[in-house]
């Protein structure tokens, strides 16, 4: 029975008395507490933990990974490192070393030790690759006694580096002169009669680099030492050398390439003038 089935009034004692029927409604809704109690407890808990509502929101709604979350700098650095360590077998990235055996007299198609060592040191400085690759390139350019020396070093010291290979070859085939001896020879090297000044400069540079490789001179002093010896050791009647002696102290020391370029240009100019002068005019 529901409240709709009940009459609104009841008549008692033959209709002399009327009772009004009131129906009590039962509430089935959940009890709602005041939010202030919960908020106060929540804020107190968060303060005790040193957190805020924003921290709770971040925990409940984690952000999806996006491309911006990737460490792009790390990816770029790894890619750059791989590019530097990769050396192609052909093309501009790799030029095969010349052949050297250490046999005397030097066989046809091979290099003298000084020329081979200079080119090899230059190429090793240029190659941006792992040391194991550099060692492989050195080993494949050697044969005969030179290959035996490197093979023996590799067996006795498996951790030897490309620099160790070159040091062992220098000990076996390089000059036995000390840095001091080479510097004395450098200062006693003079331009010869009939020798172009450019050729004299090349001879001096080769000696000076031998001193450098022996640890006898720092790089910062090489240009000054070179130009001083050119001015001191060149022939007194060489016209190009005369200009150098007059001007070299008035300006900064030129590099080897700058000096050689200027001297060659001056030599060609003088040669052209002499050629024109010697031409007999036709009538």
């Amino acid at each position: 029975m529901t409240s709709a089935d009940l009459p609104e009034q009841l008549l008692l004692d033959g209709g002399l008395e009327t009772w009004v029927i009131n129906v009590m409604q039962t509430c089935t809704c959940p009890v709602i507490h005041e939010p202030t109690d919960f908020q106060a407890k929540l804020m107190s808990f968060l303060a005790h933990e040193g957190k805020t509502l924003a921290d709770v929101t971040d925990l409940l709604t984690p952000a999806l990974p996006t491309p911006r979350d990737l460490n792009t700098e790390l990816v770029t650095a790894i890619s750059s490192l791989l590019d530097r360590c990769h050396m192609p077998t052909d093309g501009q990235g790799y030029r095969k070393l010349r052949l050297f055996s250490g046999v005397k007299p030097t066989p046809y198609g091979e290099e003298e030790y000084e020329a081979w060592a200079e080119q090899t040191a230059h190429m090793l400085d240029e190659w941006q690759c792992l040391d194991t690759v550099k060692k492989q390139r050195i080993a494949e350019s050697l044969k005969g006694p030179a290959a035996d020396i490197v093979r023996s070093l590799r067996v006795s010291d498996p951790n030897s580096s490309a620099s160790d290979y070159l040091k062992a070859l220098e000990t076996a085939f390089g000059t036995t002169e000390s840095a001091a001896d080479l510097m004395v020879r450098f200062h006693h090297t003079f331009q010869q009669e009939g020798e172009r000044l450019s050729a004299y400069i090349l001879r001096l540079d080769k000696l000076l680099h031998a001193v450098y490789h022996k640890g006898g001179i720092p790089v910062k002093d090489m240009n000054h030492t070179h130009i001083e010896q050119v001015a001191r050791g060149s022939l007194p009647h060489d016209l190009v050398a005369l200009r150098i002696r007059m001007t070299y102290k008035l300006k900064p020391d030129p590099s080897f390439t700058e000096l050689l370029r200027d001297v060659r240009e001056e030599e060609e100019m003088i040669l052209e003038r002499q050629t024109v002068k010697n031409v007999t005019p036709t009538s």
Side-chain angles (χ1 to χ4, degrees):
M1 181 180 292
T2 65
S3 59
D5 300 326
L6 297 174
E8 296 180 355
Q9 297 179 350
L10 288 178
L11 298 177
L12 300 177
D13 295 336
L16 298 176
E17 185 177 0
T18 303
W19 286 7
V20 179
I21 298 176
N22 294 317
V23 180
M24 296 182 63
Q25 299 292 334
T26 303
C27 181
T28 59
C29 298
V31 178
I32 301 177
H33 298 283
E34 290 294 330
T36 54
D37 295 338
F38 175 75
Q39 280 186 337
K41 292 180 180 179
L42 178 60
M43 297 305 294
S44 175
F45 173 76
L46 292 177
H48 178 72
E49 295 294 328
K51 302 293 183 181
T52 63
L53 285 175
D55 297 326
V56 176
T57 303
D58 292 339
L59 290 174
L60 296 178
T61 56
L64 294 176
T66 63
R68 289 183 299 177
D69 296 327
L70 297 175
N71 192 335
T72 55
E73 292 184 359
L74 178 60
V75 173
T76 302
I78 293 176
S79 177
S80 176
L81 180 61
L82 289 176
D83 289 340
R84 292 181 61 187
C85 292
H86 173 70
M87 186 177 65
T89 57
D90 53 10
Q92 296 181 354
Y94 167 62
R95 182 158 58 93
K96 190 173 182 180
L97 295 174
R98 299 168 185 169
L99 192 62
F100 174 69
S101 66
V103 175
K104 292 292 185 179
T106 304
Y108 176 77
E110 295 186 13
E111 289 286 346
E112 294 279 352
Y113 172 75
E114 288 77 12
W116 179 90
E118 184 176 355
Q119 186 237 13
T120 300
H122 176 69
M123 295 303 296
L124 292 184
D125 288 339
E126 284 191 349
W127 287 338
Q128 299 296 326
C129 61
L130 297 175
D131 194 69
T132 53
V133 178
K134 294 182 179 181
K135 292 193 295 183
Q136 177 185 350
R137 299 309 182 197
I138 294 174
E140 72 182 10
S141 71
L142 303 175
K143 69 177 191 176
D148 293 339
I149 289 174
V150 167
R151 189 181 303 111
S152 176
L153 175 62
R154 188 165 56 239
V155 171
S156 61
D157 183 9
N159 297 322
S160 55
S161 64
S163 178
D164 294 329
Y165 283 12
L166 296 184
K167 289 178 181 177
L169 293 169
E170 175 68 24
T171 301
F173 304 106
T175 177
T176 57
E177 293 178 282
S178 65
D181 294 335
L182 289 171
M183 184 59 81
V184 170
R185 185 147 66 95
F186 173 82
H187 286 304
H188 286 79
T189 299
F190 303 99
Q191 183 182 8
Q192 300 172 356
E193 287 291 342
E195 183 182 27
R196 280 193 171 194
L197 185 63
S198 55
Y200 175 56
I201 289 174
L202 289 170
R203 286 201 296 126
L204 286 178
D205 182 70
K206 185 176 181 180
L207 266 176
L208 193 60
H209 270 79
V211 176
Y212 166 73
H213 285 302
K214 289 283 187 176
I217 185 173
V219 174
K220 63 181 182 65
D221 294 339
M222 292 182 68
N223 289 340
H224 180 71
T225 304
H226 193 202
I227 188 65
E228 271 201 334
Q229 183 59 29
V230 170
R232 192 177 69 88
S234 55
L235 292 170
H237 53 78
D238 188 297
L239 296 179
V240 183
L242 179 62
R243 182 179 63 82
I244 290 178
R245 280 192 292 269
M246 293 175 60
T247 61
Y248 86 98
K249 290 185 177 180
L250 304 177
K251 56 184 180 179
D253 300 322
S255 67
F256 166 73
T257 54
E258 291 171 342
L259 177 62
L260 186 60
R261 180 197 61 205
D262 291 345
V263 167
R264 291 191 62 193
E265 289 177 353
E266 191 83 11
E267 287 176 342
E268 292 300 323
M269 188 181 303
I270 293 175
L271 182 61
E272 289 177 2
R273 289 175 181 174
Q274 291 176 346
T275 302
V276 171
K277 185 179 179 180
N278 293 333
V279 171
T280 303
T282 59
S283 56

